[in-house]
């Protein structure tokens, strides 16, 4: 089993998660039978006036390896915010 927790910066809220997994709590899923060809889709809602120049997404993945050692990987992504879809 592996667990994936997602957080997002202010101005955005996670509205829905789509995946072939079990939902544990808001933003956290259990990946019991997840292969490299599977995917996860997150839906977000935004506030009317986002004042930050970047949206920051952070994922924490916790799993147990073949030697029964728990591993943790944290990934952080910063994506520019724009009101112009051509940018």
């Amino acid at each position: 089993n592996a667990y994936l927790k997602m957080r997002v910066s202010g101005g955005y809220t996670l509205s829905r998660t789509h995946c072939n997994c079990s939902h544990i709590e808001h933003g956290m899923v259990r990946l019991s039978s997840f292969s490299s060809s599977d995917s996860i889709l997150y839906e977000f809602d935004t506030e009317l006036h986002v004042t930050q120049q970047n949206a920051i997404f952070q994922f924490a993945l916790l799993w147990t390896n073949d030697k029964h050692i728990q591993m943790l990987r944290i990934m952080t992504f910063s994506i520019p915010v724009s009101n112009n879809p051509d940018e």
Side-chain angles (χ1 to χ4, degrees), residues 10-87:
Y12 304 90
T13 56
L14 176 63
S15 60
R16 208 163 167 200
T17 305
H18 304 272
C19 66
N20 183 22
C21 53
S22 302
H23 295 268
I24 303 298
E25 62 181 48
H26 188 70
M28 179 182 275
V29 294
R30 182 176 64 213
L31 311 169
S32 55
S33 59
F34 202 77
S35 73
S36 61
S37 63
D38 290 334
S39 62
I40 298 174
L41 173 71
Y42 291 101
E43 289 183 35
F44 298 94
D45 291 325
T46 60
E47 295 178 357
L48 291 178
H49 301 287
V50 176
T51 57
Q52 299 174 345
Q53 293 184 0
N54 291 321
I56 300 172
F57 301 91
Q58 187 174 66
F59 299 87
L61 179 63
L62 175 67
W63 77 97
T64 305
N65 68 13
D66 295 338
K67 297 179 182 178
H68 302 286
I69 298 172
Q70 284 194 330
M71 307 292 288
L72 176 66
R73 176 164 289 174
I74 297 175
M75 300 154 281
T76 304
F77 303 94
S78 179
I79 301 171
V81 175
S82 173
N83 289 331
N84 184 352
D86 294 329
E87 290 183 344

